[in-house]
Amino acid sequence: MAVADPVRDGIRCMMLRGGTSKGAFFVAEDLPTDPAERDDLLLRVMGSPDPTQIDGLGGAHPLTSKVAVVSRSTEPDIDIDYLFFQVGVDEPVIGTAQTCGNLLAAVGPFAIERGLAQATTERSTISIRLVNTGDVAQVSFATPDGRPDYDGDVAIDGVPGTAGRIDIALSGGEKPLLPTGAVSDEIDGHRVTLIDNGMPVVLLRADEFGVDGDESPVDLESRDELHDAVERVRRAAGPLMGLGDVAEQTVPKMLLLSAPREGGAISTRAFIPSRVHTSIGVLMAASVAAGIRIAGAVGADLARIDPADETTGVEHPTGTFPAAVTVSREADGTWSASSSSVRTARKIFDGTVFARPRR
């Protein structure tokens, strides 16, 4: 049951870093059941709308303005349901059209911390349904003495230091890998590949937009004409991908691709969609890695791929993401894919958060 007064009494909340994102985690029963009331509360908790989010938990960037709501699953063979919310920073918007593969790394540990799931051995595997997309993930992590252990020697680009290894295996379910059924389409004069291997993305050639591919996120964000051109493609791509009108949504993500520079398979700059990602999301990387393994897809001719190696090095502004992806073509010509990745997570605080009285 939700607390009677989230302003004066507060709500149970845990802040965790998952991969290269950070978010506020809640047990579903601690929040209002009415969607409008819940969304208003989350905006007030995160301090939105405000570019600084000075009066809430948000960190003034989409990568740190995220919420995970977790509950026991009623689905057979599934342990946990994970509902993701992308909270607008300077706009009062709550997005649920996408999920977050980075925060997914922290869902299993959080579920055990809150008693929603039980550790089984020294290393536990939790089956998680991604409610936003319908995908199912198997997430494995260390649980000595029945508790998550966040310490370890695994480093991931975009996060300082090291932490415990978290393995994520994701199946795409029954939705098509290529939403239009085509390896490439044309939108606003640009050849594009529309693909969804856990995250709906649009693959674009960086050079068609006057981008070399090694620019910083700050540089790219300062180019208004570039943003407008990418946004025109994004809004046209939404209906083609079955997402409807995406003007107020944060999907699809827009990926500018160029030849690799640091020994990876492909170089990326990701619009998410108005800001440019300082690294890359787990599921964005999985979608890129799947796309460039399909002959004729945008970026396939730029990629350097070893066909014998399932791991695809997806370069981003702060390093390289190793995305392990398998892609296959069915007898009827449709493409499918599955992916796995290694992430880390860390519990930052656990306690009570107090919502601002009003927006």
Side-chain angles (χ1 to χ4, degrees):
M1 178 181 295
V3 294
D5 189 340
V7 175
R8 292 187 295 175
D9 299 328
I11 313 163
R12 284 197 310 169
C13 176
M14 188 181 292
M15 182 73 80
L16 295 102
R17 174 188 62 77
T20 55
S21 292
K22 183 169 60 177
F25 282 65
F26 297 92
V27 175
E29 65 183 20
D30 291 333
L31 295 174
T33 55
D34 177 72
E37 184 181 350
R38 177 201 61 202
D39 291 357
D40 179 73
L41 176 60
L42 293 179
L43 287 166
R44 290 187 285 130
V45 165
M46 300 303 285
S48 300
D50 170 39
T52 68
Q53 291 182 314
I54 195 66
D55 207 21
L57 294 181
H61 193 282
L63 300 184
T64 55
S65 187
K66 299 185 173 187
V67 169
V69 176
V70 181
S71 60
R72 291 186 180 91
S73 183
T74 59
E75 295 292 318
D77 302 320
I78 304 295
D79 299 311
I80 293 297
D81 282 350
Y82 155 47
L83 178 60
F84 170 72
F85 296 85
Q86 180 67 61
V87 181
V89 175
D90 53 0
E91 295 182 351
V93 175
I94 297 283
T96 59
Q98 69 171 82
T99 190
C100 178
N102 273 303
L103 284 196
L104 172 61
V107 171
F110 174 76
I112 290 180
E113 295 269 14
R114 283 287 187 260
L116 300 175
Q118 300 299 316
T120 53
T121 60
E122 289 293 296
R123 190 169 183 83
S124 297
T125 298
I126 305 294
S127 178
I128 301 171
R129 182 170 70 106
L130 285 59
V131 176
N132 305 72
T133 63
D135 297 327
V136 175
Q138 303 293 327
V139 180
S140 302
F141 51 97
T143 51
D145 304 318
R147 300 175 59 192
D149 185 2
Y150 302 97
D151 195 11
D153 57 5
V154 173
I156 59 174
D157 289 336
V159 178
T162 63
R165 178 186 179 106
I166 298 177
D167 293 288
I168 301 174
L170 184 74
S171 61
E174 298 180 355
K175 67 179 183 293
L177 180 65
L178 301 173
T180 67
V183 171
S184 68
D185 295 278
E186 184 172 325
I187 297 178
D188 199 36
H190 298 283
R191 193 171 71 89
V192 305
T193 290
L194 311 180
I195 189 166
D196 184 353
N197 188 27
M199 177 69 71
V201 307
V202 179
L203 305 184
L204 307 160
R205 284 187 63 110
D207 55 10
E208 288 190 14
F209 292 82
V211 173
D212 291 331
D214 58 357
E215 294 86 349
S216 71
V218 172
D219 179 358
L220 296 178
E221 288 174 357
S222 71
R223 304 185 188 186
D224 292 339
E225 290 186 3
L226 170 63
H227 175 268
D228 291 345
V230 171
E231 182 65 7
R232 283 196 301 272
V233 176
R234 190 183 77 86
R235 294 193 183 193
L240 296 176
M241 302 185 78
L243 301 171
D245 182 357
V246 297
E248 303 299 325
Q249 296 186 34
T250 56
V251 287
K253 309 299 186 183
M254 309 300 288
L255 274 295
L256 300 184
L257 306 183
S258 59
R261 295 167 173 80
E262 304 296 334
I266 196 75
S267 180
T268 65
R269 292 297 185 268
F271 283 74
I272 58 173
S274 58
R275 302 294 297 271
V276 176
H277 209 306
T278 55
S279 55
I280 192 169
V282 173
L283 302 179
M284 278 187 274
S287 291
V288 170
I292 62 174
R293 287 177 175 268
I294 299 175
V298 172
D301 59 328
L302 301 170
R304 298 172 189 165
I305 294 176
D306 178 358
D309 188 355
E310 292 182 355
T311 300
T312 304
V314 180
E315 297 176 5
H316 54 76
T318 52
T320 300
F321 185 102
V325 171
T326 58
V327 177
S328 59
R329 194 175 191 184
E330 309 301 328
D332 62 0
T334 60
W335 292 88
S336 61
S338 61
S339 64
S340 62
S341 60
V342 175
R343 296 277 84 187
T344 65
R346 190 176 77 82
K347 180 169 64 172
I348 297 172
F349 80 73
D350 185 10
T352 303
V353 64
F354 296 86
R356 60 194 294 189
R358 62 180 67 87
R359 286 192 284 118

